[in-house]
Amino acid sequence: MKVLVYGSLNIDLIFSVDHIVKPGETIASGALSRGAGGKGANQAAALAKAGMQVYLAGKIGADGSFLTELLRSYGVNTDHITVCGDATGQALIQVDKKGQNSIVLYSGGNGAIRVEEIEKVLANFGSGDTLLLQNEINCTADIMRGAKKRGLRICLNPSPLDEKALRLPLDLVDVFFVNEIEGAALAAAGEDRQDYGAILDLLARRFPSAEIILTVGKEGAYYGRGEYRAKGEITETPVVDTTGAGDTFTGYFIAARYRDFSVEDSLGLACKAASIAVSRKGAMEAIPLWEELNAGKIHAR
Ligand code: RIB
């Protein structure tokens, strides 16, 4: 099985701050660093670090070549990343002293995907392969429809959630990765984001054949499909930077399932990988290697 991630690549500008800046306030940053990010690129990196054969399709500007080099060093196939006239996507990230973040995005190349390019990429994949999408590029609905026609299994992490994500052809999705805010919005659960069981029930009813994975930060992750439910717990680690934790979880859950781990073990491994990621600075660079998880048993096919 090949995994195609069709998604974003960003240059992350990370400002270490005492607290997230408030409206009208100017604050000093204790440190500034430039890192590799973008939800698509992070999830592709997580899959590769977990030992999967992964392809990333997306767009960068001339300033983004360090991203493709880094991704290649992790084993990601970057043949479907093209260079456009715009800048590479940029993420202005504030990380406070508790490791929480706040992100402003400039889409750049991530918003420059053209419909006619999609088929050329999808032609390299087929039945039995998996497509993983987020919500940081344009043309996502076209990619979903094209992939379904070719028999790919579609995983969607509709993040960052906006009106556009809610209008996607969600009935084509086989696996959803959502946090409590995204889950509540997709389930139309109103403001009651804390009742995770109710969110899962609503989502499982709305998408009866889909797998739903609901990540809830320190409270771990929940899984639902039809009537079946499972839960994974995080591993306690010091929180340095939560950026990319969800991306790490998503890549690792897919990889663990592919390696024949049970749903429960896959949730546990993905939570563990995300826990390690939050104990380190940065997004893509913070994602651990499979070996660091001490998974104990590996069922590579
Ligand atoms: O999920 C984390 C990512 O979100 C960051 O790397 C940033 O680039 C934004 O896309």
Side-chain angles (χ1 to χ4, degrees):
M1 178 193 80
K2 296 186 282 192
V3 182
L4 168 65
V5 182
Y6 215 133
S8 56
L9 297 99
N10 286 337
I11 298 172
D12 287 356
L13 288 176
I14 307 152
F15 294 78
S16 303
V17 292
D18 177 74
H19 62 272
I20 306 295
V21 71
K22 299 186 187 80
E25 188 186 26
T26 301
I27 57 172
S29 170
L32 170 64
S33 58
R34 191 176 86 135
K39 292 183 196 306
N42 293 341
Q43 293 179 21
L47 280 155
K49 290 189 188 193
M52 298 290 291
Q53 189 186 2
V54 56
Y55 299 72
L56 176 61
K59 259 190 194 170
I60 52 171
D63 52 345
S65 55
F66 83 97
L67 293 171
T68 42
E69 276 159 34
L70 186 62
L71 284 158
R72 262 197 296 266
S73 77
Y74 298 144
V76 176
N77 181 304
T78 60
D79 292 352
H80 304 298
I81 298 174
T82 52
V83 180
C84 68
D86 201 345
T88 300
Q90 315 272 321
L92 193 160
I93 306 180
Q94 299 176 55
V95 178
D96 73 12
K97 57 186 179 192
K98 290 184 186 146
Q100 296 305 313
N101 67 28
S102 158
I103 304 180
V104 180
L105 292 173
Y106 170 69
S107 69
N110 299 319
I113 311 285
R114 293 204 307 268
V115 178
E116 61 270 23
E117 298 163 348
I118 296 169
E119 262 313 296
K120 282 188 200 144
V121 175
L122 292 179
N124 299 285
F125 301 88
S127 180
D129 293 334
T130 291
L131 170 71
L132 173 58
L133 294 162
Q134 310 75 30
N135 188 36
E136 280 187 346
I137 58 169
N138 64 322
C139 291
T140 303
D142 300 282
I143 299 167
M144 288 169 78
R145 291 193 187 99
K148 211 32 150 198
K149 267 190 218 144
R150 289 183 174 274
L152 276 79
R153 182 167 163 263
I154 300 181
C155 301
L156 175 69
N157 168 220
S159 181
L161 189 79
D162 58 11
E163 282 300 315
K164 185 169 66 84
L166 297 174
R167 288 196 303 272
L168 289 171
L170 298 173
D171 49 319
L172 301 184
V173 175
D174 299 289
V175 188
F176 286 95
F177 290 90
V178 290
N179 64 22
E180 67 271 37
I181 298 167
E182 295 150 3
L186 288 192
E191 287 305 301
D192 194 4
R193 292 174 190 161
Q194 303 311 316
D195 191 346
Y196 309 135
I199 292 174
L200 264 190
D201 290 346
L202 285 165
L203 287 174
R205 226 171 292 146
R206 180 171 173 199
F207 306 106
S209 57
E211 295 178 74
I212 320 280
I213 295 101
L214 177 67
T215 57
V216 288
K218 278 188 174 167
E219 291 172 65
Y222 293 81
Y223 175 98
R225 181 180 206 163
E227 298 293 310
Y228 179 73
R229 300 287 179 270
K231 167 107 207 302
E233 306 291 342
I234 63 152
T235 308
E236 286 292 339
T237 46
V239 179
V240 173
D241 182 354
T242 54
T243 313
D247 301 330
T248 305
F249 179 96
T250 298
Y252 263 88
F253 182 83
I254 293 171
R257 289 295 288 145
Y258 176 68
R259 285 169 179 258
D260 277 347
F261 281 84
S262 66
V263 166
E264 285 79 1
D265 286 348
S266 300
L267 288 171
L269 281 169
C271 284
K272 188 169 183 184
S275 302
I276 295 172
V278 302
S279 71
R280 301 169 175 172
K281 276 192 183 163
M284 199 187 296
E285 289 100 330
I287 300 168
L289 291 169
W290 178 267
E291 292 71 33
E292 294 179 74
L293 267 67
N294 297 318
K297 47 175 186 167
I298 298 177
H299 302 287
R301 286 178 194 168

